[in-house]
Amino acid sequence: MRGSSVARKIGGPWLVAAAKSAIAALVAWWLADRVVGSPQSFLAPYTALFMIGVTVRASGTAALRQVGVVVAGVTVAAAAVVALPPVAALAASVAVGTAVGRLRVFAPDGMWVAITALLVLLYGSAMDETVVMFRVADVALGALVGVCVNALVLPPEYLSEARDLVVERSRGQAQLLRDLARVVKDGKQVQWELRTDLWALFKASGVTAALDRGKDSLRGNIRRKGWARVGGERIYRPVATALDRTLISLAAVVVGVEALSRKADASQAGLRADVADLLDTVADALDELGYDPARHHSPYAQMMNLHLPEAMRLSDVVRADLDDAGSDAEAISAIVVAIDTVNATLYGLGHERAPTQ
């Protein structure tokens, strides 16, 4: 589960993106300047850079959009020059280009329709077919080079990030439960510290959302076959759903522990110790979710055979003593109900995984 992507091994995604950008820019400029002989060869590397760093599918869409934007811009400029005097043509091309650029098909690059029309008019090349064709060709060439480099040289894939997020989230939620157990056991009074830790987990990207992004990044990606051999994003979907669901239940646990921490009842030390043990045991179960199901034949075996049965036993022990819990009864009851929900979610995950083990 601790394995990293190729990009991380050679210095990080930013280094890969920088190298790919340099390659794309150099190749696009060389083709436009030395092979095609374009007088506006700078447009090719300029366009190529827009294709780098996004998913393969997104770069292909962006390439078509960039070419469409330029064609629309020069068309608007040419029509304005034919129909209007210079000043009016300038104003009309910007106005019409802005309106055309607001069409959904050009989003989010629609502003370049008006900009292209404006530049063509200011350069005085709106009616120069050769210059206009070179402009379109340079943009198309740059877009093509950018797409090819992006798709063939370590194409971006975000499923590795989603996989790593599973580990991070499972450890984070387990640590939160251990901190909660410590508060219950020590009788320490807390105010907002626990909610701050909980909020930090909520602010992090949802695991299921990260998997969706990872799945999308593999469309048209040559690295898709490698992921397909281990099950792709589908193999992580159950654990991602479980982590997102248990996080909601942990919020209820935090509220219950906060309420319990405001009271100091020495007579309930034994019951509070059982509650703390319950939280620690479920934390151990959550830690198990960090095992990569693509690399472990039975990733949740200990969770199913050891941690969750023990958590159920401790839950029954705590419930049996609630009648004598006094002022602690309400807070402890809320904690146990939330923890039972977590246990049920984890049991469901274990049973869902069982047939493929």
Side-chain angles (χ1 to χ4, degrees):
M1 188 63 207
R2 295 182 181 179
S4 59
S5 65
V6 176
R8 288 187 179 85
K9 290 179 180 179
I10 65 174
W14 65 269
L15 184 57
V16 173
K20 290 170 65 172
S21 296
I23 294 171
L26 286 174
V27 172
W29 173 81
W30 182 80
L31 289 174
D33 188 73
R34 302 300 172 85
V35 177
V36 177
S38 171
Q40 304 177 88
S41 57
F42 71 91
L43 288 173
Y46 174 81
T47 306
L49 293 181
F50 284 96
M51 308 299 120
I52 306 300
V54 297
T55 65
V56 174
R57 182 188 184 194
S59 65
T61 303
L64 294 175
R65 191 167 57 242
Q66 287 288 331
V67 174
V69 162
V70 172
V71 171
V74 297
T75 300
V76 168
V81 167
V82 170
L84 300 168
V87 176
L90 188 66
S93 64
V94 171
V96 174
T98 301
V100 171
R102 297 179 74 88
L103 294 175
R104 188 175 181 179
V105 68
F106 293 130
D109 300 323
M111 61 177 288
W112 288 97
V113 175
I115 292 174
T116 299
L118 178 63
L119 291 176
V120 167
L121 283 171
L122 292 178
Y123 289 154
S125 56
M127 298 304 295
D128 188 328
E129 293 182 3
T130 300
V131 173
V132 167
M133 291 304 296
F134 268 122
R135 175 175 286 270
V136 174
D138 287 336
V139 170
L141 178 61
L144 178 61
V145 169
V147 169
C148 290
V149 171
N150 195 49
L152 298 176
V153 182
L154 290 178
E157 61 89 8
Y158 302 120
L159 193 52
S160 297
E161 294 181 7
R163 177 200 60 198
D164 294 343
L165 185 59
V166 169
V167 177
E168 181 183 347
R169 176 59 63 78
S170 65
R171 290 175 178 171
Q173 292 181 202
Q175 186 58 50
L176 176 60
L177 272 181
R178 292 192 176 99
D179 292 341
L180 292 168
R182 192 176 304 113
V183 169
V184 173
K185 189 177 296 184
D186 298 343
K188 178 183 177 182
Q189 183 172 355
V190 296
Q191 295 297 329
W192 296 102
E193 297 94 330
L194 298 175
R195 294 197 183 192
T196 300
D197 294 340
L198 177 68
W199 181 239
L201 289 172
F202 269 110
K203 284 196 299 183
S205 174
V207 188
T208 51
L211 281 178
D212 291 337
R213 182 170 179 248
K215 179 182 179 180
D216 183 69
S217 72
L218 292 178
R219 294 179 178 175
N221 196 322
I222 59 176
R223 300 165 78 175
R224 181 174 186 170
K225 290 184 178 179
W227 276 110
R229 284 195 293 269
V230 298
E233 54 84 28
R234 296 188 303 277
I235 198 169
Y236 300 104
R237 187 70 63 177
V239 65
T241 302
L243 284 169
D244 283 346
R245 288 177 178 173
T246 55
L247 184 58
I248 296 173
S249 297
L250 292 187
V253 178
V254 168
V255 173
V257 171
E258 283 183 346
L260 200 61
S261 73
R262 298 190 190 102
K263 306 169 185 177
D265 190 346
S267 65
Q268 300 301 324
L271 179 57
R272 290 191 176 209
D274 287 338
V275 173
D277 289 342
L278 173 61
L279 298 179
D280 277 329
T281 302
V282 178
D284 291 338
L286 281 170
D287 261 339
E288 291 282 305
L289 302 190
Y291 287 107
D292 189 346
R295 300 183 181 183
H296 292 78
H297 181 65
S298 302
Y300 313 131
Q302 278 195 309
M303 179 185 77
M304 293 295 291
N305 299 326
L306 177 63
H307 303 311
L308 290 183
E310 176 63 9
M312 290 183 66
R313 186 190 71 79
L314 288 170
S315 179
D316 290 339
V317 169
V318 173
R319 285 180 181 277
D321 293 337
L322 276 179
D323 290 340
D324 300 323
S327 60
D328 288 350
E330 185 176 353
I332 292 177
S333 178
I335 293 171
V336 172
V337 169
I339 285 296
D340 284 348
T341 302
V342 173
N343 291 342
T345 299
L346 297 182
Y347 259 115
L349 170 64
H351 286 306
E352 185 173 352
R353 172 65 184 170
T356 63
Q357 292 179 356

